[in-house]
């Protein structure tokens, strides 16, 4: 089997958990391929300059990232076609094309394709997206899902969203949860210069990440002297961050809140290591990798009461409404660590199941001979409580 994996939509440092997913696939897919399998990765010259891809044949498009973005937009909104890329993908002779970032580009790439869908948040919370993003997704996502032979969802929750909100045929969608890397946290040195104890929230300041609600509830508890914690944030500061910083000032907690900005993967784990608890007040997640990472570090993980966190096995006691300071206080008063109801999958398992999906499409043209999705084990389903 020859697989061509596209990274033409990859923008390092800007895509959070999706970047962790891409880098994990790059690391683990070559380890799991069968004898005779071949992997190729297609990327622009800017990404290629900073990304190592051992185990992959490297196919570098002679264009920079900005030009690729411009041409993707052009193809989405006009009759223009990326014919040079169509010819490139055709020349690879791949048995299956893999687009792990939700859309096909070029749209008319020749060959059976598989895409990964991370979430469809724009349908659940359109108010969180600007006009351009809403229109772009509407132009690109539906035809990509229709053209793909199979769609990989990163959780059972996302699979259900694709079926119910997007009308994707159930037999076309397989849930392959994101993975985790087993950690030996004994040797992790905490991030320097952080006053303890602190709560940690690793998330870019996008609207759905719900920083405002967290700041308000944290401020209520801090002013009342009910918690001793500082609040540490990390993640790319978006255009919303100045308004959030002003809110922290107005709430009287600016001195207690520290934003570390975008951190490397290694530094994120150092901040986890020193945290008293990890908080995750997001309103929408396709999976929620930081929750799994926090648990791997043996931390208390206090999260929103979302269906995907029930699927991950976060116990009832650790799922709260962050708009209620009393619920936050009660969760922080509980001893830890948080223990999931089932072991999370590993990146090795994620890579193996992804390769099985790619092989099925390459050999049969669909997920399996009957056109049915892979069935997750019973332990992978969400608890009913």
């Amino acid at each position: 089997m020859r697989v061509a994996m596209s990274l033409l939509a990859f923008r390092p440092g800007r895509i959070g958990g999706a970047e962790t997913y891409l880098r994990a696939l790059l690391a683990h897919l070559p380890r799991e391929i069968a004898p005779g399998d071949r992997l190729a990765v297609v990327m622009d010259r800017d990404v290629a300059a900073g990304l190592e891809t051992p185990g992959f044949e490297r196919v570098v498009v002679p264009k920079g990232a900005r030009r690729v973005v411009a041409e993707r937009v052009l193809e989405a909104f006009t009759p223009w076609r990326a014919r040079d890329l169509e010819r490139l993908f055709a020349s690879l002779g791949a048995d299956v094309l893999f687009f792990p970032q939700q859309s096909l580009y070029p749209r008319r790439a020749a060959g059976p394709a598989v895409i990964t869908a991370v979430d469809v948040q724009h349908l659940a919370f359109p108010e969180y997206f600007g006009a351009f993003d809403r229109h772009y997704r509407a132009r690109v996502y539906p035809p990509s899902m229709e053209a793909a032979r199979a769609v990989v969802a990163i959780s059972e929750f996302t699979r259900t969203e694709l079926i119910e909100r997007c009308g994707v045929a159930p037999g076309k969608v397989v849930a392959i949860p994101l993975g985790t890397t087993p950690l030996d946290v004994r040797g992790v040195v905490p991030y320097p210069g952080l006053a303890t104890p602190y709560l940690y929230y690793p998330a870019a300041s996008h609207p759905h990440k719900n920083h405002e609600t967290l700041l308000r509830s944290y401020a209520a508890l801090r002013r009342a002297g009910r918690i001793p914690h500082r609040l540490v944030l990390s993640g790319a500061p978006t255009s919303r961050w100045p308004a959030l910083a002003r809110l922290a000032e107005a709430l009287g907690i600016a001195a207690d809140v520290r934003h570390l900005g975008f951190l490397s993967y290694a530094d994120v784990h150092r901040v986890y290591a020193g945290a008293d608890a990890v908080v995750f007040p997001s309103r929408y997640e396709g999976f929620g990798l930081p929750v799994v990472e926090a648990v791997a570090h043996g931390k208390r993980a206090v999260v929103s009461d979302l269906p995907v966190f029930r699927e991950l096995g976060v116990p009832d006691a650790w799922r709260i409404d962050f708009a209620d300071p009393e619920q936050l206080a009660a969760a922080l008063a509980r001893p830890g660590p948080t223990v999931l109801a089932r072991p999370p999958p590993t990146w090795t398992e994620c890579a193996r199941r992804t390769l099985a999906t790619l092989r099925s499409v390459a050999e049969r043209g669909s997920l399996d001979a009957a056109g049915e999705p892979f069935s997750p084990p019973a332990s992978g389903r969400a608890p009913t409580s």
Side-chain angles (χ1 to χ4, degrees), residues 124-363:
F125 294 103
E127 65 273 20
Y128 291 166
F129 294 82
F132 173 82
D133 284 337
R134 292 198 305 271
H135 288 299
Y136 180 80
R137 290 183 177 216
R139 296 281 298 192
V140 171
Y141 288 2
S144 295
M145 293 177 191
E146 182 178 357
R149 300 288 182 87
V151 180
V152 173
I154 63 170
S155 63
E156 283 289 342
F157 166 73
T158 299
R159 180 175 184 270
T160 299
E161 290 274 273
L162 294 171
I163 294 168
E164 295 182 352
R165 292 186 184 272
C166 303
V168 182
K172 192 175 181 175
V173 192
V174 55
I176 303 178
L178 302 188
T180 185
T181 301
L183 296 173
D184 181 358
V185 299
R186 292 172 297 180
V188 179
V189 178
Y191 193 88
L194 297 179
T196 57
Y198 62 84
L199 309 177
Y200 180 35
Y201 184 27
S205 50
H206 299 302
H208 72 284
K209 296 299 185 180
N210 205 18
H211 285 79
E212 179 178 345
T213 297
L214 174 63
L215 290 175
R216 293 186 183 280
S217 288
Y218 169 78
L221 297 178
R222 188 74 170 149
R223 287 196 304 265
R226 298 180 60 186
I227 57 173
H229 303 81
R230 307 295 175 89
L231 178 61
V232 174
L233 310 172
S234 72
T238 69
S239 59
R240 297 184 68 253
W241 176 248
L244 291 169
R246 290 193 295 272
L247 174 63
E249 187 74 38
L251 292 170
I253 56 170
D256 298 323
V257 178
R258 182 169 176 186
H259 198 307
L260 301 176
F262 179 80
L263 296 178
S264 69
Y265 194 66
D267 279 341
V268 167
H269 284 278
R270 297 176 71 190
V271 184
Y272 279 133
D276 186 54
V278 175
V279 290
F280 209 79
S282 180
R283 290 192 176 100
Y284 187 100
E285 292 295 324
F287 184 83
L289 266 178
V291 176
V292 176
E293 292 170 347
V295 170
H297 276 272
K299 300 299 176 179
R300 296 180 293 164
V302 184
V303 306
S304 301
D305 190 11
L306 299 181
V308 74
F309 294 151
R310 297 179 205 145
E311 178 184 333
L312 286 176
V314 179
D316 292 354
W318 299 106
R319 302 193 314 270
I320 70 167
D321 178 0
F322 276 85
D324 182 355
E326 293 300 323
Q327 291 190 36
L328 178 57
L332 294 176
R334 295 187 184 97
T338 299
V339 178
L340 300 181
R342 65 193 61 83
T346 66
W347 285 119
T348 296
E349 294 166 340
C350 177
R352 286 175 180 167
R353 294 198 63 199
T354 300
L355 280 171
T357 299
L358 295 171
R359 190 177 305 282
S360 185
V361 170
E363 295 176 352

Side-chain angles (χ1 to χ4, degrees), residues 57-77:
E57 174 190 342
R58 293 166 64 88
V59 181
V60 181
V61 174
K63 302 177 184 181
R66 293 181 66 179
R67 181 175 173 185
V68 170
V69 170
E71 292 185 355
R72 286 174 59 204
V73 172
L74 195 62
E75 187 176 81
F77 289 103

Side-chain angles (χ1 to χ4, degrees), residues 96-115:
V96 61
L97 307 178
F98 183 31
F99 296 86
Q101 291 182 267
Q102 200 120 338
S103 63
L104 298 180
Y105 177 70
R107 185 178 295 183
R108 296 174 180 83
V114 175
I115 67 171

Side-chain angles (χ1 to χ4, degrees), residues 29-48:
L29 287 177
R31 304 174 190 172
E32 302 302 322
I33 59 174
D37 286 349
R38 297 173 63 192
L39 301 173
V41 61
V42 181
M43 50 194 164
D44 65 58
R45 65 188 180 203
D46 292 337
V47 169

